[in-house]
Amino acid sequence: MVENNDAVLYERLAAKDKQAFETLYDRYEKLLFSFAFKITKDRGLAEEVMQDVFVKLWNGTHAFDSSKGKFSSWLLTITRNKAIDMIRKYAKHEHVELMDKDSLISDEKPVDKAVEWKEDREMIQSAVSKLNTEQQKVIDLFYFKGFSQQKISEKCGVPLGTVKGRIRLALKHLRETLEKGGRSDYEA
Amino acid sequence: MKPEQCHHLIDYFNGTMTNEESAEFERHLQECSECREELAEIRTLTEDLPYLSDPAEPSPGLRNRILEAAYEESHPVEAPPELEAFKNKKSLNEPEIKKSKRSQTLIVGGLAAGLVLSLAANVIQMSDDKDGQLVQSEVLERKVALASVEGNETSSANASFLKEKDDQFMVLQADGLPEIKDGELYQVWLIQGEKPVPAGYFTPDEKGNGALVYKVTDEDLDWDTVAITVENEPNLSAPKGKVVLAGKI
Ligand SMILES: [Zn+2]
């Protein structure tokens, strides 16, 4: 339902309907900001990511093609790309690595209990916690840090040629655990 | 042994390659079903990971800042009536265009005439050669003939779209253009639907001939029209002057 609705809103947005644009903004603001913040670990950078994503969405630089999948997945992908881009630039200029202390699952308790993706989050967190440390690490380096294959190989101490296999295996385990975890509507 | 390219899937997904390497991998993807499947699989398997994020609160002013920035970047277009007549479309309800900063004119006719002419010569050679002998790495993608909107048969133009490696260029050549006043210039537009994007400008020589090479940065856009207008200043965001030549892509 919501997805269909997204696509309809997007169509209106593409026709320069400000109301549709703002509805989509409100719908995704918090998720995108939280996701950008998870990647960048920096409020300022996360806000820059948001601005870039939404301005390009409005002016059509980022154009969604509904035949290629869900709007939300597409929006999250462009957000991830921009956020990773930002940390690469930032790291280059500041000569620091932003994310040394973190792990895939944070110890902090989220402030907002009523947030929409709470259930998904708990389910995915629980599935991630069942992965072994190496698998958690490889997913984090690959997905949330966007490291190159070379860098993942160095950080994990595995040969370059086995990095892809590691990643796929870790992701598949995660998916299996999620599916076993009673989420029968998972594909929906 | 797998082809070397198969090992670049992770770097492709994460965008850690140069544009050239990415383009090369994309060519590989067309041939390698294994990589296509793996890429689709990784996309599916990572789809839910963003939901792992801990809820964080954006600052209260963010919404307004972003909406303002977005609306600021678009300007209403007032297309001249001639263009409308040419396009035979009436629906300009919400005319908005993109700023043209993404697009850039490489060479403006007259300033680097040598290069324009040599490129243009290549185009002619290519298009006249029925055997399809293409010049080196440039590939002619399509050629568009522009005709006078007012039925003036002495003026005409051709726009050729060339692909060179990853870049697309439009080479435009116009002949027998009507004289223009001092300070006026011919502005070229690429138009998709209701959105014109300035594609460079030129002033013609005394015979009314002019040319320019324009690097098309928005290749993905589905351009439908090339048009030339007369303007008082270069690179407006939307045409103000009258359309002299236009052609459907
Ligand atoms: Zn392959």
Side-chain angles (χ1 to χ4, degrees):
Chain A
M1 279 301 287
V2 174
E3 291 303 333
N4 291 337
N5 197 342
D6 275 355
V8 171
L9 284 170
Y10 177 80
E11 287 302 309
R12 285 171 49 197
L13 181 168
K16 298 297 173 195
D17 179 336
K18 288 185 177 178
Q19 207 191 339
F21 177 55
E22 288 168 28
T23 307
L24 281 172
Y25 179 87
D26 292 336
R27 185 172 289 171
Y28 285 105
E29 180 190 53
K30 191 145 188 182
L31 175 61
L32 295 195
F33 181 77
S34 303
F35 182 39
F37 184 69
K38 178 169 177 63
I39 294 172
T40 60
K41 314 267 186 277
D42 181 287
R43 296 188 64 86
L45 290 183
E47 294 194 356
E48 267 187 65
V49 171
M50 294 282 285
Q51 175 151 341
D52 186 80
V53 167
F54 279 103
V55 169
K56 286 181 176 158
L57 183 62
W58 173 251
N59 70 26
T61 312
H62 286 317
F64 169 61
D65 177 356
S66 59
S67 70
K68 299 216 170 107
K70 291 196 290 187
F71 178 80
S72 56
S73 307
W74 173 80
L75 194 61
L76 285 161
T77 300
I78 58 178
T79 303
R80 173 181 180 263
N81 292 347
K82 183 64 194 176
I84 286 173
D85 209 40
M86 298 282 292
I87 55 173
R88 279 182 198 145
K89 276 193 196 124
Y90 187 82
K92 216 183 263 169
H93 292 302
E94 306 291 324
H95 302 285
V96 289
E97 272 193 40
L98 289 168
M99 37 351 207
D100 268 335
K101 53 185 186 334
D102 58 272
S103 72
L104 206 51
I105 302 172
S106 112
D107 301 325
E108 284 167 54
K109 289 275 164 283
V111 205
D112 190 347
K113 295 278 180 205
V115 76
E116 314 85 83
W117 69 94
K118 183 167 173 265
E119 273 180 40
D120 295 292
R121 185 170 162 274
E122 282 169 1
M123 208 141 13
I124 296 164
Q125 278 208 342
S126 136
V128 166
S129 69
K130 292 191 180 87
L131 297 179
N132 67 36
T133 323
E134 276 76 39
Q135 287 175 330
Q136 290 188 22
K137 187 172 173 185
V138 85
I139 290 180
D140 188 46
L141 297 174
F142 163 64
Y143 188 75
F144 290 99
K145 295 187 173 49
F147 281 166
S148 69
Q149 187 163 321
Q150 177 70 44
K151 199 146 182 195
I152 298 171
S153 138
E154 286 162 19
K155 296 248 174 199
C156 291
V158 298
L160 195 59
T162 61
V163 169
K164 185 170 68 180
R166 281 260 172 147
I167 294 169
R168 289 176 70 200
L169 203 61
L171 290 171
K172 278 183 179 168
H173 272 214
L174 184 64
R175 170 56 58 110
E176 277 162 23
T177 316
L178 274 171
E179 280 165 358
K180 264 186 239 149
R183 196 171 164 181
S184 52
D185 61 339
Y186 198 69
E187 295 295 334
Chain B
M1 270 291 278
K2 278 195 198 175
E4 166 68 21
Q5 280 292 331
C6 294
H7 302 298
H8 297 159
L9 184 70
I10 295 303
D11 288 339
Y12 175 73
F13 182 89
N14 274 348
T16 56
M17 300 197 285
T18 64
N19 289 344
E20 257 173 40
E21 289 167 336
S22 285
E24 206 175 306
F25 187 80
E26 273 163 12
R27 282 193 288 278
H28 170 73
L29 272 181
Q30 314 227 309
E31 292 152 15
C32 181
S33 60
E34 205 177 314
C35 279
R36 279 202 304 274
E37 279 157 27
E38 282 182 12
L39 185 63
E41 180 192 79
I42 285 178
R43 286 198 174 127
T44 315
L45 292 175
T46 52
E47 222 170 32
D48 300 294
L49 288 173
Y51 297 92
L52 261 176
S53 312
D54 298 315
E57 205 59 61
S59 59
L62 186 65
R63 184 183 197 272
N64 275 345
R65 280 212 309 282
I66 288 178
L67 294 181
E68 257 172 45
Y71 299 150
E72 209 174 78
E73 289 222 352
S74 27
H75 297 285
V77 171
E78 300 207 10
E82 290 93 336
L83 186 56
E84 282 318 276
F86 170 76
K87 292 178 59 132
N88 244 342
K89 272 189 192 172
K90 295 224 163 55
S91 57
L92 255 183
N93 325 327
E94 303 246 18
E96 301 270 359
I97 65 144
K98 297 167 197 168
K99 265 195 181 169
S100 60
K101 63 187 171 201
R102 295 164 288 116
S103 320
Q104 113 204 70
T105 305
L106 281 189
I107 303 137
V108 174
L111 293 180
L115 182 48
V116 172
L117 287 178
S118 87
L119 260 169
N122 283 351
V123 175
I124 294 162
Q125 204 180 319
M126 281 189 284
S127 43
D128 289 343
D129 187 349
K130 297 269 192 292
D131 298 321
Q133 248 187 21
L134 298 183
V135 178
Q136 287 173 6
S137 55
E138 288 146 22
V139 179
L140 178 64
E141 294 208 305
R142 58 179 173 234
K143 194 168 175 180
V144 177
L146 283 75
S148 167
V149 170
E150 293 163 332
N152 170 357
E153 290 194 2
T154 58
S155 57
S156 66
N158 277 308
S160 300
F161 291 82
L162 301 175
K163 193 121 192 166
E164 191 185 22
K165 287 191 187 130
D166 299 329
D167 295 319
Q168 198 187 47
F169 297 93
M170 175 178 74
V171 179
L172 183 129
Q173 270 194 302
D175 302 307
L177 289 167
E179 241 179 86
I180 46 174
K181 296 188 203 93
D182 249 357
E184 286 188 328
L185 45 88
Y186 282 109
Q187 171 74 53
V188 180
W189 305 91
L190 273 170
I191 299 162
Q192 179 197 25
E194 321 291 355
K195 295 174 192 161
V197 169
Y201 60 93
F202 61 90
T203 46
D205 63 16
E206 62 285 348
K207 287 178 192 153
N209 302 330
L212 67 76
V213 177
Y214 172 75
K215 184 175 176 184
V216 183
T217 42
D218 276 330
E219 286 178 61
D220 301 338
L221 286 184
D222 200 3
W223 306 108
D224 52 52
T225 306
V226 189
I228 304 178
T229 61
V230 182
E231 305 288 356
N232 294 316
E233 50 177 306
N235 289 323
L236 295 161
S237 58
K240 281 186 185 162
K242 67 171 188 169
V243 180
V244 285
L245 293 170
K248 292 262 187 209
I249 296 178

